[in-house]
Amino acid sequence: MQPETTDQTLRRHYAKTALAKMGIPFERGMESKAVRIAVEGAARAEAQRAARDVPMRDAA
């Protein structure tokens, strides 16, 4: 399985918003600075959680 692109990640997080549930397309919703900040923040938080949950390899 290939990792998601940034666009795919943003679209997945946008799909969880009320705007998406009201039928407002991704492109239109992301024109709003507040929506962009919220969606990008959610994507960054998910990436940070994923990086923190990856077990570190032993140096030995």
Side-chain angles (χ1 to χ4, degrees):
M1 184 170 79
Q2 292 182 338
E4 284 186 325
T5 65
T6 301
D7 186 61
Q8 290 170 328
T9 302
L10 292 177
R11 287 179 183 275
R12 184 169 46 81
H13 284 283
Y14 180 79
K16 297 175 186 177
T17 68
L19 293 175
K21 293 175 183 177
M22 291 188 305
I24 298 176
F26 173 79
E27 291 79 11
R28 176 79 172 131
M30 292 300 279
E31 289 176 7
S32 166
K33 185 175 180 179
V35 172
R36 178 169 289 283
I37 289 169
V39 171
E40 289 175 348
R44 268 193 308 277
E46 179 182 81
Q48 288 174 350
R49 279 192 304 273
R52 190 176 56 229
D53 293 341
V54 174
M56 294 181 56
R57 295 179 182 226
D58 292 333

